[in-house]
Amino acid sequence: MVAQGKRGGSGGSKKSAVPQPQNTNDSYIVFSNAKDDAKNNKASLKASLSKDGVTGNPPTGEDVPKKPDTKKLIGGPSWTGKLPVNILSEHCQKQRWEKPEYTTAKSPEGFSSMVILKAMNSKTKEMSVLPPFKLPQTYKHLAMQPTAVEARHFAATYALFRVCSMRNIHMMLPPNYRDLWKGEFEELKKEDIKDGKGWIYEADPFAAKHEREEAQALIAKKRFDREKQRAKEADQPLAPGVPNMNGGQRNNMRGWTKVSKVEMGKRTRVQVEHMVRRHAVWNPQGIVLSEFQRRNTVTELVELGFRKSHIEEAAEQCKDREETLEWLLIHVPEDDLPRWSLPEGYVAGISMASGNIKREASIKRLSDSGYAAETCEQLLDEYNGNEGMTAEALQNLLFQNIADNNQGFHDISDLSISFKTEGDEVWKEELETLQSIYGYRFRKLSSDMCQIELEVPRSKDSFILSIRKSSIYPSTIPVVSISSPGLPAYIRLSMYRQVISYAKDNLLNQPMVFNLVDWLESEIPRIIGNPGKLRDISAAATTASEASQAQTTKRRNNLWRRPPHIQWKPGNSESMKILSQWQARQMTSQQCKMLTGRKSLPAWSLREAIVKVVEKNQVTIISGETGSGKSTQSVQFILDDMIQRQLGSAANIICTQPRRISALGLADRVSDERCGVVGDEVGYAIRGESKQKPGITKITFVTTGVLLRRLQTSGGSTDDVVAALADVSHVVVDEVHERSLDTDFLLILLRSVLIQRKDLKVILMSATLDAGVFENYFIDNASVGKIEIHGRTFPVDDFYLDDVVSMTNFKPGSRNGDYDEEPASDGQSVASTIQALGMRINYNLIAATVSAIDAQLGSLEGGILVFLPGVMEINRTLDAIRPLPNIHALPLHASLMSSEQRRVFPPAPRGKRKVIAATNVAETSITIEDIVAVIDTGKVKETSFDPQNNMVKLEEVWASRAACKQRRGRAGRVRAGKCYKLYTRNAEAKMAERPEPEIRRVPLEQLCLSVRAMGIKDIPSFLSSTLTPPEGMAVEGAIDLLGKMGALEGDELTALGQHLAMIPADLRCGKLMVYGAIFGCLEATLTIASILTIKSPFVSPQTAREESKAARAAFAPSQGDLLADLAAFDAWLDQRRSTPSYRTIRSWCDTHFLSSQTLSDISSTRSQYVVSLSEAGFLPASYDPSSSATSHLNTHNDSLPLLRALIAAAFNPQLARIEFPSTKYAASISGAVALDPEARTIKYFTPDSSRVFIHPSSTLFDAQVFPGAAPPVCLAYFSKIATSKVFVRDLVPCGGYAALMFGGRLELDTLGRGIVIGGWLRMRGWARIGVLVGRLRGMVDEVLRKRIDGGTWGSEDEEVVGVVRRLVELEGMDR
């Protein structure tokens, strides 16, 4: 019997339930809180008892059973709290759901119950009903309870857990249910989440249900759309020559229908094939396939439709399956290639008519014999249209030995053409005899030509032999040709070659046609079965023969001269001379004055201790406070000690600095202290500039990169690195605490060198140094000593943002320079000002602070140093403070030239106060003597790198506390000073203690390339030994990118990689300049690389952004951002040449929205890159773009298609595929006209199929059409930025051949659909085009290899470069 109650619950009733008899049939009961439920229950009970023969009168007295107490039943004897049913009802009421319903069922195991929740939509009045909360089968036993009441409360508990598992409701439940909540229910939830069913535990199950239904509807829609698209694709044509194997259900062209097509003009293709066959090198390393590899390759390629004999021939010469496939596509004649490898609509023998019908007919007859049409055309012209002489020349060409191909064709014109009477008679008599022998099979075509139908045993095919009398028959062999439908040309050429060889050996000087026929009829089956090697007939089958064997490229011996080893023998003549000069200098008054100043430094008191620790240990760690003299004095202590120990000739101390200005400043300072001039005893070496004399300079201050370059170019191996430091006695690494990429790399190398060079001393120095970290790094390989020098800084008073605001009375937004003369009213005003300032740099506040400091100092001398995060902030600060009276404002950053950086050291002009706006280059190493006040914005620009999405960001972040301490110390170098911190104490407390090592926050491509250039193949293992190893994903990504860029092939450096490893520039910029020099547009690529290094010269004022973008686009419409910047720079140079007036040039820049300062910076960077390329040996030391000696480097500076292609080559794999919408047409008088697509309908996709968008600042943002002979295939971009969308910037469009020549690895689609570039970019086209381009790539790499080896260019190299240039300029077309 089933009893259905009304919605609700009785959990809130205080009455106990009436116990039911054991035999009551209540297997399915619904409880409710309806008023008449009690009566119904009693009536049911009475009826039940009556059925069993029990009187209907209720028992009285002691026989009446006690009603059970629900609280005691559910919660236990002492439970006084709420029960699960009550808690669930209250929860539903709070959520405005309907009252819960319970379904109860009885089984032999007991009672079980489930909860049904409902909710009514207040707007639509629609009732939403959830399925019952049912336990899984594996947990069903938990729901079985001895009574229906307990089952109901269990169901309420489970329902509560489903909607409130994230809350601590279980604390309100009775003990047994509390244990269930934290035990079995939690385990069940974990299993559900693991199975992807975490959504069933949402707090709002109705919303979760709605979302699930929407998601399922969306999935169903997508499934329907896919099926619809699949049905549509099934109706589209398949790839050419590919049968439909699935009865029309599968379309092999899926994903290929909208991709760009690549074509190659006939003349261009012939030229490329000619060049590839002559110059291409197959299997340069001489790798031999194993028998297993060879067997698998043959099997796979036979399945693709190639002849087994061809594959076996190719496998003998190639290194792997891919190269074997390429070899076949190059060498197998077109009429014997598999159908999938031919272009769409290919028909053999079809060519464009030239208008000379007789000539075309001759070429067709000759080529029908099996010879290449291009060869027939070439020889026919050479013999002035004489078809007979051309046919004989073709046959002689075929019979030439392959090794003699470079000697040219056999000159038929040298042969006597005066027919001898007896020769004519022999031929005439032979024709008559042949006619009588062969009857109807014989046909005389002319007096010197006949045809004979061959009878080949076991062959159903027809074979027609044509014989043409040779010039001096029978002293020479007649010209033979065979026609047979479907017989590939190369097999017929093999027949000619073999029959001619037979005739030459056996039949000369006698009638021979009958014997030739007899031999062919018996041997044709054998030749068809085994036609021989393709190489044997390649001379006649193609326009050019191929080199007989691959030759491995040999590199020249490294010309780098290793320095001599140090001679540690004391007292030699050189050492004694140095000692004598040193002693004499100590007696001079100038030296004594300098010594007095040196002795006042804290480091002087530790002079002997420093010398002893350095002498005793291989590694010495010196930590010293700002102003202690560690950077200037330690190297002098070491040198003076060696001189006094008569080891002056052995001294060669190299001191690395992280920045150029540090190296220059220290070289000046130390040389002054030693009363010398820079370049003698003390020198320096920075990128592009050096002052030192071998054997004379004892202390050399260098940038870390310069020392690394010396080690990298030494030869590569560990022994070479050791040898590169053979003449170095001490390496001092200053400012190691900055943990730059170069410094960490240098420390790895030095640690390995110390194992072999026990006499080499390494000194690590820093103002804020965690000595323990560096000690642990070196302790296993060398003894380590430590010295700490206490600083001599003067007291520095700190003023935080609230102090500065109070001091300046600054109020954001007020007039008169944003600060008032009236003091702040109270602390609340200061707090509101700080809140209004926020976290951004306020340049008016900086100006107000400078003005206040200047007023405080009054007539006292002293400069002000302002620390800012970047160049833009420096320029804005200078603009803000220059209007202030009596201020001498100067910038200081790494992009300035050395001469400009040195301007910060001299005192300010009389009556002016020096204010220096600097980046963190002023934090350490350099000392600007007259600084007495520091303004610290607390900001720095740091590069961060996310290896997962390969995104690089230059972000403005808070500096570390260690860096801020260094900045503060600049104010107390010469006297007591003050530090004005434009941040709060709370912000300072949240700063990181130290900056994160650069190796963990920048891309690692350059580092990995440098490691590989040193001969280290296991790059990840090497980098794991750094002080702070980089992320493995970042290293793997860098190696992968080097492969895509063409710098690595496997684990071997390519010629391009060797060049890039020697050029100190961003890899993309280096690659661009290398290709620029190769392809004759060096000056243009130098400019573009400099623009990428600095920034675009265009400015974009907020009020005139569209005008600025229009001005930029006007310089190179639709050519891309970088070519517009290049054109603007060239126009600026023209202005400078024609207009010497600075004011006129500045006005011109303003008119065109150009920054004259940025243009100057670009010009300076170009000069530095020229020096770097010269030092790398890539350019002559005396490079002059106007010189005729180097004019070949700049012949094609004006070729915009070539420049776009080279930029794409440099940026690869940073390419975005262009997807154009379907073409729309408009009606016109002359018919339908194709419309240009709207810019917003053009889509762009990166290699990972992610969509990207053109940045609004780009000149291509609104582009509808692009330049070039064909629509571009992709956009090359330099940077990718993620904001509201993922944007790409610094763009140029590039065509199909740019992607083919310089993109990723080329893969041939064996279904005949086209070529895949880099595993993602598809292009429809002939497979042979992909092979030819792939071979051209190898030839370009060989050109680069020659440049590396210092070889000279030959005509072959010029031809290769010229062909590649024309391909990208004309998109493969002939014109």
Side-chain angles (χ1 to χ4, degrees):
M1 178 179 177
V2 177
Q4 178 69 41
K6 295 182 180 180
R7 183 177 66 248
S10 60
S13 176
K14 295 183 180 179
K15 296 181 180 180
S16 301
V18 178
Q20 297 179 0
Q22 294 287 332
N23 57 356
T24 300
N25 183 14
D26 51 0
S27 61
Y28 188 79
I29 304 170
V30 176
F31 288 85
S32 76
N33 289 330
K35 292 180 180 179
D36 57 345
D37 278 359
K39 296 178 181 179
N40 291 339
N41 288 340
K42 290 178 182 178
S44 299
L45 177 61
K46 185 175 181 180
S48 179
L49 291 173
S50 298
K51 280 184 182 180
D52 295 332
V54 181
T55 177
N57 297 323
T60 59
E62 295 180 358
D63 294 332
V64 177
K66 284 188 176 182
K67 295 179 181 180
D69 188 337
T70 304
K71 279 200 173 184
K72 290 182 180 179
L73 180 65
I74 302 303
S78 60
W79 183 253
T80 59
K82 295 180 181 180
L83 298 179
V85 168
N86 306 87
I87 298 173
L88 179 60
S89 294
E90 291 174 1
H91 181 76
C92 291
Q93 187 176 1
K94 289 178 183 178
Q95 300 298 321
R96 297 187 179 180
W97 301 338
E98 301 294 307
K99 290 183 179 180
E101 290 186 1
Y102 296 82
T103 64
T104 304
K106 184 180 180 184
S107 67
E109 291 83 11
F111 292 89
S112 62
S113 182
M114 292 182 290
V115 173
I116 300 173
L117 296 184
K118 300 180 180 180
M120 181 176 289
N121 189 308
S122 59
K123 295 181 179 180
T124 65
K125 302 301 180 183
E126 180 183 355
M127 184 71 74
S128 179
V129 183
L130 297 178
F133 288 159
K134 185 179 180 180
L135 283 167
Q137 193 68 29
T138 53
Y139 285 83
K140 189 176 180 181
H141 64 281
L142 297 175
M144 294 301 170
Q145 301 293 321
T147 67
V149 173
E150 290 171 285
R152 188 179 182 207
H153 283 279
F154 177 89
T157 304
Y158 179 59
L160 278 168
F161 183 79
R162 286 281 293 269
V163 297
C164 300
S165 61
M166 68 295 298
R167 297 170 56 188
N168 290 327
I169 287 181
H170 66 282
M171 301 301 293
M172 302 166 58
L173 295 172
N176 290 341
Y177 298 95
R178 189 186 309 151
D179 295 340
L180 276 171
W181 188 290
K182 298 302 291 181
E184 287 84 350
F185 288 177
E186 284 287 353
E187 291 297 324
L188 174 58
K189 181 179 179 181
K190 290 178 182 177
E191 292 178 13
D192 285 336
I193 292 174
K194 186 177 180 181
D195 294 339
K197 296 190 294 183
W199 58 272
I200 68 175
Y201 295 93
E202 293 289 338
D204 187 347
F206 299 98
K209 177 190 175 187
H210 181 68
E211 291 174 2
R212 289 276 298 175
E213 289 172 349
E214 285 187 340
Q216 289 170 352
L218 182 62
I219 292 171
K221 182 179 182 300
K222 288 183 177 178
R223 187 184 301 116
F224 174 78
D225 291 342
R226 282 198 302 269
E227 291 174 356
K228 184 178 179 181
Q229 180 66 23
R230 198 174 292 122
K232 180 180 178 181
E233 290 174 350
D235 295 334
Q236 294 179 351
L238 298 174
V242 179
N244 190 342
M245 305 300 293
N246 296 316
Q249 295 301 311
R250 181 184 176 189
N251 176 22
N252 288 315
M253 291 302 291
R254 180 180 180 182
W256 290 81
T257 54
K258 289 187 176 182
V259 303
S260 301
K261 289 186 179 181
V262 59
E263 297 177 316
M264 188 178 284
K266 179 182 177 182
R267 287 196 299 273
T268 301
R269 180 167 61 85
V270 169
Q271 182 184 11
V272 175
E273 288 179 348
H274 180 90
M275 187 173 62
V276 166
R277 286 194 173 95
R278 281 189 294 116
H279 305 312
V281 177
W282 300 88
N283 192 9
Q285 287 78 32
I287 297 172
V288 178
L289 291 176
S290 66
E291 187 58 37
F292 175 77
Q293 291 172 317
R294 187 190 301 266
R295 188 164 55 249
N296 282 352
T297 298
V298 171
T299 302
E300 290 179 24
L301 296 183
V302 164
E303 292 177 356
L304 290 179
F306 292 98
R307 292 182 184 271
K308 184 177 180 181
S309 59
H310 295 168
I311 303 168
E312 291 173 342
E313 179 183 355
E316 291 178 0
Q317 306 169 59
C318 299
K319 63 180 180 181
D320 54 27
R321 175 194 177 278
E322 286 69 27
E323 190 173 77
T324 302
L325 178 59
E326 292 183 8
W327 193 96
L328 291 168
L329 290 170
I330 287 287
H331 290 83
V332 174
E334 294 173 13
D335 60 352
D336 201 28
L337 283 171
R339 181 66 181 159
W340 64 263
S341 66
L342 297 171
E344 297 179 45
Y346 173 83
V347 180
I350 300 298
S351 62
M352 297 294 292
S354 64
N356 188 332
I357 298 177
K358 180 180 178 181
R359 179 175 180 274
E360 289 295 326
S362 296
I363 292 173
K364 187 176 187 312
R365 284 190 295 271
L366 293 168
S367 60
D368 283 347
S369 300
Y371 298 100
E374 296 83 5
T375 308
C376 298
E377 187 176 354
Q378 179 181 348
L379 287 177
L380 186 66
D381 291 341
E382 185 174 334
Y383 291 105
N384 300 317
N386 187 315
E387 188 175 336
M389 295 181 67
T390 301
E392 193 166 353
L394 286 168
Q395 183 164 289
N396 287 344
L397 174 65
L398 175 66
F399 192 69
Q400 285 180 343
N401 188 280
I402 299 293
D404 296 330
N405 281 341
N406 59 351
Q407 296 178 5
F409 299 138
H410 186 57
D411 192 355
I412 302 298
S413 60
D414 289 342
L415 298 175
S416 172
I417 58 173
S418 56
F419 302 107
K420 298 181 180 178
T421 304
E422 56 270 23
D424 292 337
E425 290 298 321
V426 169
W427 175 255
K428 184 178 179 180
E429 291 176 5
E430 188 169 9
L431 289 182
E432 293 174 354
T433 304
L434 292 172
Q435 185 170 12
S436 62
I437 293 174
Y438 296 113
Y440 71 92
R441 294 165 52 196
F442 176 85
R443 182 184 176 193
K444 184 178 178 182
L445 301 178
S446 66
S447 60
D448 58 354
M449 189 172 180
C450 67
Q451 281 184 347
I452 300 173
E453 182 180 347
L454 302 179
E455 291 183 346
V456 179
R458 301 182 302 278
S459 176
K460 298 179 181 179
D461 298 325
S462 65
F463 296 87
I464 305 297
L465 171 66
S466 297
I467 301 177
R468 184 192 297 269
K469 175 179 170 291
S470 59
S471 304
I472 47 177
Y473 182 83
S475 299
T476 58
I477 301 167
V479 179
V480 298
S481 65
I482 297 174
S483 62
S484 177
L487 187 65
Y490 95 97
I491 294 182
R492 286 180 284 154
L493 293 176
S494 181
M495 292 177 181
Y496 307 161
R497 181 181 172 86
Q498 294 188 45
V499 74
I500 292 168
S501 178
Y502 167 76
K504 181 181 178 182
D505 293 339
N506 301 284
L507 304 176
L508 285 178
N509 299 315
Q510 60 178 311
M512 63 183 77
V513 174
F514 176 81
N515 291 320
L516 292 176
V517 171
D518 182 62
W519 188 90
L520 284 170
E521 288 180 336
S522 62
E523 295 296 328
I524 280 179
R526 176 187 63 79
I527 296 173
I528 292 175
N530 183 18
K533 294 185 177 182
L534 289 169
R535 282 181 176 273
D536 294 340
I537 51 90
S538 62
T542 63
T543 56
S545 59
E546 185 176 354
S548 59
Q549 60 183 3
Q551 296 180 358
T552 303
T553 305
K554 296 182 179 179
R555 295 192 60 195
R556 63 172 179 158
N557 294 327
N558 199 306
L559 298 181
W560 178 76
R561 296 182 63 182
R562 296 185 174 185
H565 290 278
I566 292 178
Q567 299 298 322
W568 288 102
K569 185 177 180 180
N572 60 38
S573 58
E574 184 63 27
S575 295
M576 296 307 295
K577 178 182 177 182
I578 293 172
L579 176 60
S580 175
Q581 292 173 347
W582 180 83
Q583 290 172 338
R585 195 165 61 236
Q586 303 308 304
M587 305 302 294
T588 63
S589 59
Q590 186 181 7
Q591 185 68 75
C592 292
K593 182 179 178 180
M594 286 293 178
L595 279 174
T596 302
R598 290 177 61 192
K599 289 176 181 179
S600 66
L601 294 171
W604 186 268
S605 61
L606 293 173
R607 179 182 55 171
E608 292 183 3
I610 292 172
V611 169
K612 286 181 180 178
V613 172
V614 171
E615 179 63 25
K616 183 179 178 181
N617 300 283
Q618 273 191 284
V619 179
T620 301
I621 301 172
I622 301 177
S623 56
E625 295 291 337
T626 301
S628 63
K630 64 185 182 308
S631 297
T632 57
Q633 303 307 307
S634 298
V635 289
Q636 295 190 70
F637 296 159
I638 295 168
L639 176 59
D640 290 344
D641 174 68
M642 291 188 71
I643 291 174
Q644 292 177 74
R645 290 191 290 126
Q646 301 180 8
L647 288 170
S649 63
N652 186 6
I653 303 169
I654 293 180
C655 182
T656 70
Q657 295 294 325
R659 301 172 190 87
R660 291 182 302 155
I661 190 172
S662 302
L664 295 171
L666 286 169
D668 288 339
R669 175 75 177 267
V670 173
S671 62
D672 287 345
E673 290 184 354
R674 300 185 73 80
C675 298
V677 295
V678 175
D680 288 343
E681 188 181 36
V682 179
Y684 67 83
I686 62 176
R687 190 178 72 186
E689 190 176 345
S690 173
K691 280 190 178 182
Q692 55 182 325
K693 297 176 181 177
I696 296 175
T697 302
K698 298 300 177 183
I699 301 174
T700 308
F701 292 94
V702 303
T703 50
T704 313
V706 167
L707 180 56
L708 281 175
R709 190 72 50 198
R710 172 174 176 172
L711 301 181
Q712 287 174 236
T713 56
S714 61
S717 67
T718 304
D719 291 339
D720 291 328
V721 175
V722 173
L725 295 173
D727 64 338
V728 177
S729 60
H730 299 75
V731 176
V732 182
V733 186
D734 204 356
E735 309 302 344
V736 287
H737 74 282
E738 294 189 9
R739 299 295 306 279
S740 69
L741 195 67
D742 283 350
T743 298
D744 277 7
F745 186 22
L746 179 61
L747 293 182
I748 308 176
L749 299 178
L750 291 177
R751 190 170 70 158
S752 61
V753 169
L754 288 174
I755 299 174
Q756 298 187 41
R757 278 283 312 275
K758 297 298 183 183
D759 60 330
L760 179 66
K761 306 294 183 181
V762 173
I763 299 99
L764 310 179
M765 296 197 303
S766 175
T768 57
L769 179 64
D770 187 356
V773 173
F774 293 92
E775 182 179 9
N776 294 335
Y777 185 66
F778 282 96
I779 196 67
D780 293 336
N781 295 339
S783 57
V784 180
K786 294 185 288 186
I787 289 285
E788 184 174 358
I789 307 173
H790 295 288
R792 188 208 59 174
T793 53
F794 292 91
V796 176
D797 295 329
D798 292 325
F799 298 88
Y800 289 87
L801 183 57
D802 53 344
D803 304 315
V804 174
V805 170
S806 299
M807 178 183 75
T808 60
N809 305 321
F810 182 80
K811 291 185 182 299
S814 65
R815 297 179 181 179
N816 300 324
D818 283 344
Y819 59 97
D820 294 337
E821 296 297 330
E822 296 296 326
S825 59
D826 51 29
Q828 184 64 32
S829 176
V830 172
S832 61
T833 299
I834 292 175
Q835 186 175 5
L837 286 170
M839 294 297 180
R840 299 182 67 180
I841 297 173
N842 190 297
Y843 301 97
N844 291 318
L845 176 59
I846 295 174
T849 308
V850 169
S851 180
I853 296 171
D854 182 51
Q856 287 179 3
L857 291 173
S859 60
L860 294 176
E861 297 291 332
I864 303 171
L865 179 59
V866 187
F867 281 100
L868 295 151
V871 176
M872 182 189 73
E873 291 78 10
I874 288 176
N875 292 334
R876 293 186 67 179
T877 298
L878 294 176
D879 291 340
I881 64 177
R882 277 180 176 139
L884 298 176
N886 304 321
I887 294 299
H888 180 57
L890 295 169
L892 178 59
H893 52 83
S895 299
L896 294 175
M897 296 182 66
S898 303
S899 57
E900 295 173 314
Q901 291 178 340
R902 287 193 174 104
R903 292 172 58 202
V904 303
F905 295 108
R910 191 175 186 84
K912 289 184 176 288
R913 189 172 306 283
K914 181 166 62 176
V915 179
I916 301 169
T919 59
N920 57 352
V921 300
E923 279 181 17
T924 55
S925 294
I926 66 167
T927 300
I928 304 172
E929 294 290 351
D930 54 353
I931 297 299
V932 296
V934 165
I935 300 174
D936 183 13
T937 60
K939 298 293 183 69
V940 67
K941 282 193 176 176
E942 272 189 359
T943 301
S944 63
F945 176 62
D946 184 354
Q948 289 188 334
N949 58 21
N950 199 32
M951 291 281 284
V952 181
K953 296 180 181 178
L954 182 62
E955 299 178 304
E956 183 181 293
V957 298
W958 288 111
S960 66
R961 288 201 294 274
C964 290
K965 182 180 178 183
Q966 288 292 303
R967 296 178 178 187
R968 176 183 182 273
R970 300 293 100 183
R973 293 297 296 267
V974 292
R975 68 168 185 255
K978 295 179 180 180
C979 179
Y980 299 88
K981 302 179 178 182
L982 302 187
Y983 46 87
T984 62
R985 293 172 176 82
N986 186 41
E988 184 179 56
K990 293 180 180 179
M991 292 177 179
E993 180 62 32
R994 299 181 186 280
E996 187 176 19
E998 194 177 22
I999 199 170
R1000 294 185 64 85
R1001 53 181 175 83
V1002 298
L1004 302 176
E1005 292 83 34
Q1006 187 74 59
L1007 176 62
C1008 291
L1009 184 63
S1010 299
V1011 171
R1012 185 61 194 88
M1014 298 180 69
I1016 299 163
K1017 290 191 175 183
D1018 192 352
I1019 299 173
S1021 176
F1022 178 82
L1023 293 181
S1024 67
S1025 64
T1026 54
L1027 196 58
T1028 305
E1031 291 185 28
M1033 184 183 296
V1035 177
E1036 292 174 7
I1039 295 172
D1040 180 60
L1041 182 59
L1042 289 173
K1044 291 177 179 178
M1045 289 186 70
L1048 285 179
E1049 186 173 342
D1051 59 357
E1052 296 294 333
L1053 267 182
T1054 63
L1056 175 62
Q1058 294 179 54
H1059 279 298
L1060 296 181
M1062 293 190 296
I1063 300 173
D1066 179 277
L1067 290 181
R1068 293 164 295 182
C1069 295
K1071 186 176 179 181
L1072 180 61
M1073 291 185 287
V1074 167
Y1075 277 138
I1078 294 292
F1079 287 93
C1081 47
L1082 175 61
E1083 284 294 302
T1085 54
L1086 279 171
T1087 301
I1088 296 171
S1090 302
I1091 291 168
L1092 293 170
T1093 303
I1094 303 300
K1095 63 177 180 178
S1096 170
F1098 286 92
V1099 294
S1100 182
Q1102 192 168 0
T1103 58
R1105 286 183 176 173
E1106 291 303 317
E1107 293 87 342
S1108 172
K1109 189 164 73 172
R1112 188 183 190 189
F1115 279 98
S1118 300
Q1119 295 287 346
D1121 304 328
L1122 295 175
L1123 294 188
D1125 294 347
L1126 169 65
F1129 180 84
D1130 290 341
W1132 175 71
L1133 287 180
D1134 292 339
Q1135 286 287 323
R1136 289 180 61 186
R1137 295 187 189 103
S1138 61
T1139 310
S1141 170
Y1142 174 78
R1143 182 175 297 179
T1144 304
I1145 295 173
R1146 182 66 181 263
S1147 174
W1148 180 85
C1149 289
D1150 293 341
T1151 302
H1152 293 88
F1153 293 91
L1154 289 165
S1155 166
S1156 56
Q1157 180 60 52
T1158 303
L1159 289 165
S1160 298
D1161 292 341
I1162 292 169
S1163 179
S1164 174
T1165 304
R1166 287 180 85 260
S1167 302
Q1168 293 178 18
Y1169 277 146
V1170 170
V1171 172
S1172 299
L1173 291 171
S1174 299
E1175 289 178 348
F1178 201 75
L1179 292 180
S1182 58
Y1183 169 74
D1184 180 0
S1186 61
S1187 170
S1188 59
T1190 56
S1191 60
H1192 64 282
L1193 297 173
N1194 294 293
T1195 311
H1196 303 283
N1197 275 323
D1198 298 328
S1199 175
L1200 298 183
L1202 178 60
L1203 286 173
R1204 292 199 305 270
L1206 298 186
I1207 292 170
F1211 290 1
N1212 178 60
Q1214 291 174 199
L1215 304 176
R1217 174 176 58 85
I1218 303 176
E1219 185 176 291
F1220 291 98
S1222 300
T1223 306
K1224 295 182 179 180
Y1225 297 89
S1228 67
I1229 297 175
S1230 58
V1233 178
L1235 299 176
D1236 293 329
E1238 296 182 22
R1240 61 183 177 83
T1241 64
I1242 305 173
K1243 299 179 181 179
Y1244 307 91
F1245 297 91
T1246 53
D1248 60 358
S1249 298
S1250 300
R1251 187 178 177 184
V1252 294
F1253 299 84
I1254 294 179
H1255 196 272
S1257 65
S1258 172
T1259 59
L1260 298 179
F1261 180 69
D1262 299 317
Q1264 295 176 268
V1265 293
F1266 297 91
V1273 172
C1274 53
L1275 287 181
Y1277 62 90
F1278 188 73
S1279 55
K1280 184 167 64 170
I1281 306 167
T1283 54
S1284 57
K1285 299 177 181 177
V1286 178
F1287 292 103
V1288 287
R1289 302 179 64 170
D1290 304 320
L1291 308 171
V1292 290
C1294 58
Y1297 271 93
L1300 281 170
M1301 279 303 311
F1302 305 112
R1305 176 186 174 92
L1306 296 182
E1307 299 174 22
L1308 304 178
D1309 180 76
T1310 53
L1311 293 179
R1313 296 172 294 189
I1315 307 159
V1316 183
I1317 306 170
W1320 71 284
L1321 185 59
R1322 297 173 177 177
M1323 297 192 71
R1324 292 177 65 184
W1326 191 5
R1328 179 171 279 185
I1329 293 177
V1331 178
L1332 291 173
V1333 170
R1335 291 290 110 190
L1336 273 177
R1337 281 182 170 193
M1339 296 163 75
V1340 171
D1341 201 53
E1342 185 60 27
V1343 172
L1344 288 168
R1345 176 80 64 186
K1346 288 184 178 179
R1347 294 296 295 267
I1348 276 281
D1349 296 339
T1352 57
W1353 277 24
S1355 58
E1356 295 177 2
D1357 304 313
E1358 293 289 351
E1359 184 183 10
V1360 169
V1361 171
V1363 165
V1364 174
R1365 186 178 62 250
R1366 286 192 296 276
L1367 281 175
V1368 298
E1369 287 179 339
L1370 303 175
E1371 283 299 316
M1373 294 296 98
D1374 295 330
R1375 273 291 178 269

